[in-house]
């Protein structure tokens, strides 16, 4: 089927908007590539330092005739999704030798687990860590010794930061290598039930701990469709990962075979061969539009509304919130994975997964097929899935039809006719709401506002029994400049309890929610933020607020609102403790949420 004219229009608009910046980026890429393999320009002393610790690979590196693959790793033991990366460098080096190449760990980057820091001071470093990761990865790649690179990362800010760095080194081929999701444990909806019971005193801390440990129980990505798994979907649909690699469990033969195949492919697509596939040629306007389509079709994490513009900007591409809104209107929701449904990503993968989803979207004309990917030319490569047959890795045609229509449906019979995210505009600013997990009868909430400046105050009010009527809970001074724009996911159990009691309740904030959030309507990323004098700073307790996800509106219905002076808040406590003092000056230069909330541009 020909490309949907709505998708073509969005792509053309992005290309026109980005014409100058993209041309400048591609010219820089061309100049960097034209200097030839980077190692050829090392002095003997430079080279000796680079190869000193490489043991059996020293001779091959010194000759400089084989591809040398850089490894940028986000390994640590704090993220279950990243723990399997501990053993990847040795596997990669062995696979590189077998492919006639060498491989070196270029460097490591920090990686925060939002699950550990949720509701705590460390969460205020979370969003800022994305740009820190991009900077750290750039330092790793600045050794300038690599013909291609393997990027080991999965979770929330890590993948966006690594993509930003890969785009900065756009002349170097880049393949992203995942670790895969942990096996299914306690169902996510049961975990949420225990959390709500604990919030109301009906479950003990021991009950809660048992539920959490049964849900997060082993190596691999958390199994809900939050930011980490949305990242993995994006990397496939944008052509930066091998087909079918995203959702294969760690510790399996297939997982190791896919990692080895990524090494072999990284050695094959360098400038030294005849199939050069630099990252900057894959990260095109069409690739980013494909990413937007995937985000809407799966009801992915709202965090990508922040990350995709920042990722694109490094590649000279300018994304706007209007692009998200336009794609959302063109693309139906065809996947339901928790928090949008009851299934986890393992169930989604078994139901047909990305191969089925990509194939259906291509057949419906909703994806650009004519793109370059690490697997080859054309997105049809991603309708195939990997198999390990008699010890050999091969790709076979993926399922054309869903194997479970409660999890994955065709475009002709979607869960809802439009995408899972909706842009909001009004006299309270610009924001976004994730509608894919919100019941339709809650898509419009109109109620008096209760104003808070931090999530602890909301919890205290809940414990005091202060919420007895329909309420729009406003948590302001949570934006990028105020305190780093933390996720407020710890409010989900509290607000869910109020909703289950029959109250109409919504959240409005200039902060973020986790990719795991969704049950309660939440207008998030509201900009301009309160700390910059945005409209949220003029709200008062009792103001009637209307959140209308159907028409994309966020308004306060109060006479004389625009004439009010914005309030200020003492934010000095945000500048100290848990490393926040080191980020205080960086936060002051953060951009608006509408532009990716970056400290880099």
């Amino acid at each position: 089927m020909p490309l949907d004219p709505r998708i073509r229009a969005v792509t053309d608009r992005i290309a026109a908007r980005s014409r100058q910046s993209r041309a400048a980026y591609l010219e820089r890429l061309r100049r960097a590539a034209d200097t030839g393999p980077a190692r050829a320009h090392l002095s003997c002393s430079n080279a000796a330092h680079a190869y000193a610790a490489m043991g059996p690979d020293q001779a091959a590196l010194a000759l400089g005739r084989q591809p040398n693959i850089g490894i940028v790793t986000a390994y640590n033991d704090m993220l279950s999704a990243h723990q399997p990366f501990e053993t990847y460098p040795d596997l990669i080096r062995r696979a590189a030798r077998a492919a006639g190449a060498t491989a070196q760990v270029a460097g490591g980057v920090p990686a925060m687990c939002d699950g550990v820091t949720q509701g705590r001071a460390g969460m205020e470093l979370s969003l800022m860590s994305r740009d820190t990761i991009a900077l750290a990865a750039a330092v790793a790649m600045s050794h300038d010794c690599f013909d291609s690179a393997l990027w080991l990362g999965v979770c929330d800010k890590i993948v966006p930061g690594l993509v930003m760095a890969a785009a900065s080194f756009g002349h170097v081929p880049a393949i992203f290598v995942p670790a895969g999701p942990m096996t299914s444990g306690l169902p996510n909806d049961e975990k949420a039930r225990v959390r709500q019971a604990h919030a109301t005193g009906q479950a003990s801390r021991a009950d809660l701990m048992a539920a959490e440990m049964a849900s997060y129980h082993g190596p691999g990505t958390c199994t809900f469709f939050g930011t980490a798994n949305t990242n993995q979907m994006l990397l496939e649909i944008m052509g930066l990962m091998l087909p079918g690699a995203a959702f294969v469990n760690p510790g399996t033969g297939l997982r190791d075979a896919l990692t080895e195949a990524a090494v072999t492919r990284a050695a094959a697509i360098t400038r030294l061969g005849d199939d050069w596939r630099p990252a900057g040629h894959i990260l095109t306007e069409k690739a980013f539009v494909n990413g937007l389509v995937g985000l809407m079709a799966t009801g992915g994490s709202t965090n990508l509304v922040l990350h995709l513009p920042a990722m694109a900007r490094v590649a000279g591409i300018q994304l706007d919130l209007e692009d998200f809104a336009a794609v959302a209107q063109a693309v139906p929701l065809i996947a339901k994975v928790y928090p949008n449904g009851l299934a986890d990503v393992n169930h989604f993968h078994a139901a047909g997964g990305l191969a089925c989803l990509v194939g259906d979207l291509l057949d419906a004309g909703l994806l650009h097929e004519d793109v370059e990917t690490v697997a080859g030319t054309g997105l049809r490569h991603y309708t195939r899935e990997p198999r390990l047959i008699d010890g050999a890795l091969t790709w076979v045609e993926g399922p054309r039809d869903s194997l479970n229509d409660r999890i994955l449906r065709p475009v002709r019979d979607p869960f809802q006719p439009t995408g899972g995210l909706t842009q909001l505009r009004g006299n309270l600013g610009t924001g976004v709401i994730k509608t894919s997990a919100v019941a339709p009868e809650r898509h419009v909430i109109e109620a008096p506002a209760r104003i808070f400046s931090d999530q602890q105050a909301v919890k205290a009010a809940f414990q005091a029994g202060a919420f007895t009527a329909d309420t729009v809970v406003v948590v302001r001074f949570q934006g990028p400049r105020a305190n780093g724009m933390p996720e407020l996911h710890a409010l989900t159990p509290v607000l869910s309890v109020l909703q289950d009691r029959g109250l109409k309740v919504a959240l409005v904030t200039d902060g973020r929610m986790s990719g795991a959030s969704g049950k309660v309507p939440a207008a998030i990323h509201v900009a301009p933020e309160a700390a910059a004098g945005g409209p949220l700073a003029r709200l008062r307790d009792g103001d009637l607020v209307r959140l209308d996800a159907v028409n994309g509106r966020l308004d306060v219905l109060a006479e004389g609102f625009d004439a009010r002076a914005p309030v200020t808040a003492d934010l000095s406590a945000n500048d100290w403790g848990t490393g926040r003092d080191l980020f205080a000056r960086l936060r002051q230069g953060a951009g608006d949420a509408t532009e990716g909330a970056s400290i880099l541009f």
Side-chain angles (χ1 to χ4, degrees):
M1 179 178 290
L3 187 67
D4 188 296
R6 295 168 296 179
I7 300 299
R8 185 178 304 281
V10 174
T11 309
D12 290 346
R13 187 164 61 241
I14 294 170
R17 184 190 308 136
S18 309
R19 185 167 290 115
Q20 289 186 336
S21 54
R22 179 65 176 172
Y25 171 80
L26 290 174
E27 175 60 20
R28 293 193 299 270
L29 187 157
R30 185 194 63 77
R31 291 200 303 268
D34 282 351
T35 62
R39 286 177 295 134
H41 303 287
L42 294 178
S43 71
C44 292
S45 178
N46 292 151
H49 278 85
Y51 311 148
M54 290 307 294
D57 294 321
Q58 275 186 334
L61 284 163
L63 286 174
R65 296 172 184 167
Q66 297 180 342
N68 188 34
I69 303 167
I71 306 167
V72 180
T73 178
Y75 160 71
N76 67 41
D77 289 334
M78 297 307 297
L79 289 94
S80 61
H82 288 206
Q83 190 278 334
F85 289 142
E86 180 179 14
T87 59
Y88 274 38
D90 282 342
L91 187 156
I92 289 169
R93 282 188 282 264
R94 290 195 302 270
R97 293 180 194 122
T102 54
Q104 296 178 278
V105 174
V109 300
M112 172 187 285
C113 180
D114 287 359
V116 176
T117 60
Q118 200 67 247
R120 299 174 57 81
M123 173 52 72
E124 296 181 13
L125 274 60
S126 175
L127 180 59
M128 301 295 110
S129 76
R130 178 196 65 198
D131 294 359
T132 305
I133 288 161
L135 295 170
V139 172
M141 291 296 292
S142 71
H143 292 104
D144 208 20
C145 295
F146 311 111
D147 301 295
S148 63
L150 296 174
W151 303 82
L152 312 187
V154 173
C155 284
D156 298 23
K157 270 60 60 187
I158 297 91
V159 163
L162 294 180
V163 171
M164 291 165 71
S168 180
F169 287 81
H171 61 292
V172 179
I175 297 180
F176 281 72
V177 183
M182 69 175 70
T183 55
S184 300
L186 184 74
N188 286 293
D189 60 320
E190 176 61 16
K191 173 193 66 183
R193 186 196 65 77
V194 177
R195 284 179 176 176
Q196 288 183 221
H198 181 260
T200 59
Q202 295 175 320
S204 68
R205 180 176 174 82
D207 294 332
L208 180 61
M209 190 66 183
E212 298 285 359
M213 292 294 285
S215 182
Y216 308 115
H217 63 88
T221 316
C222 304
T223 61
F224 54 84
F225 199 63
T227 310
N229 285 315
T230 303
N231 286 339
Q232 302 311 292
M233 176 276 298
L234 284 170
L235 290 173
E236 277 209 39
I237 211 166
M238 293 177 68
L240 288 170
M241 185 186 287
L242 290 183
F247 299 132
V248 175
N249 302 123
T252 62
L254 181 56
R255 177 80 277 157
D256 287 347
L258 284 164
T259 301
E260 292 168 354
V263 179
T264 302
R265 189 62 180 156
I269 60 175
T270 74
R271 190 67 181 251
L272 298 175
D274 57 4
D275 190 22
W276 181 50
R277 294 183 173 274
H281 288 179
I282 290 173
L283 289 167
T284 64
E285 295 92 339
K286 291 179 180 180
F288 277 101
V289 170
N290 283 350
L292 294 180
V293 171
L295 180 66
M296 300 307 169
T298 59
S301 170
T302 52
N303 279 322
L304 273 300
V305 179
L306 293 169
H307 298 323
L308 279 165
M311 293 155 60
R313 186 161 179 173
V314 183
I317 296 168
Q318 299 174 37
L319 295 184
D320 188 271
L321 288 183
E322 297 292 344
D323 304 322
F324 288 82
V327 172
Q329 288 301 308
V331 177
L333 179 71
I334 61 173
K336 267 195 173 289
V337 186
Y338 191 87
N340 307 333
L342 297 180
D344 66 21
V345 292
N346 294 310
H347 303 139
F348 168 74
H349 189 61
L354 289 177
C356 182
L357 181 138
V358 169
D360 193 49
L361 290 170
L362 280 170
D363 291 344
L366 293 172
L367 286 171
H368 290 281
E369 200 281 329
D370 56 334
V371 292
E372 297 298 332
T373 78
V374 297
T377 300
L379 197 61
R380 285 281 171 191
H381 286 283
Y382 290 80
T383 65
R384 297 170 64 82
E385 56 185 19
R387 290 282 185 270
L388 199 59
I389 300 174
D390 296 329
L393 180 65
T394 188
W395 271 264
V396 301
E397 284 301 319
R400 296 278 65 85
D401 298 312
S402 171
L403 303 178
N404 188 333
D405 63 6
R406 292 175 296 174
I407 301 172
L408 181 61
R409 288 185 181 176
V411 170
R412 66 179 183 275
D413 182 28
F415 291 105
Q416 65 183 49
T418 57
L421 301 177
T422 299
Q423 183 185 1
L424 301 171
R425 290 189 180 277
N427 62 3
L428 286 178
T430 299
V432 66
I433 181 172
K434 181 175 181 175
T435 56
S436 53
V438 177
E441 62 270 20
R442 298 186 182 277
H443 284 190
V444 179
I445 300 291
E446 184 177 304
R450 288 287 304 274
I451 313 298
F452 301 90
S453 293
D454 59 66
Q455 57 186 319
Q456 287 73 27
V458 180
K459 292 180 180 180
F462 172 80
Q463 294 295 336
F467 298 108
T468 58
D470 296 347
T471 307
V472 172
V473 176
V474 177
V475 187
R476 61 191 180 189
F477 297 103
Q478 304 296 306
R481 296 186 190 93
N483 63 350
M485 204 176 184
E487 291 183 350
L488 306 180
H489 182 60
L491 294 180
T492 298
V494 168
L495 299 178
S496 296
V497 168
L498 296 177
Q499 185 170 276
D500 289 348
R501 288 175 178 170
L503 299 181
K504 292 182 179 179
V505 61
L507 174 69
V508 174
T509 181
D510 47 9
R512 297 184 294 133
M513 289 296 277
S514 165
S517 308
K519 178 179 178 180
V520 177
I524 59 177
H525 308 176
V526 176
E529 63 176 290
L536 291 187
R538 299 200 297 272
L539 273 178
R540 299 172 182 167
D541 278 330
D543 282 342
L544 192 63
V545 172
R546 182 176 176 86
L547 167 56
D548 182 350
V550 176
N551 295 298
R553 297 292 304 177
L554 179 63
D555 296 286
V556 57
L557 311 178
E559 292 289 337
F561 175 76
D562 292 340
R564 294 179 188 173
V567 302
T568 59
D570 181 3
L571 303 175
S572 58
N574 299 337
D575 291 343
W576 301 100
T578 328
R580 288 179 293 173
D581 48 313
L582 301 176
F583 284 78
R585 181 165 292 184
L586 294 176
R587 285 202 310 269
Q588 294 172 14
D592 274 352
T594 55
E595 299 175 346
S598 179
I599 59 175
L600 300 180
F601 33 73

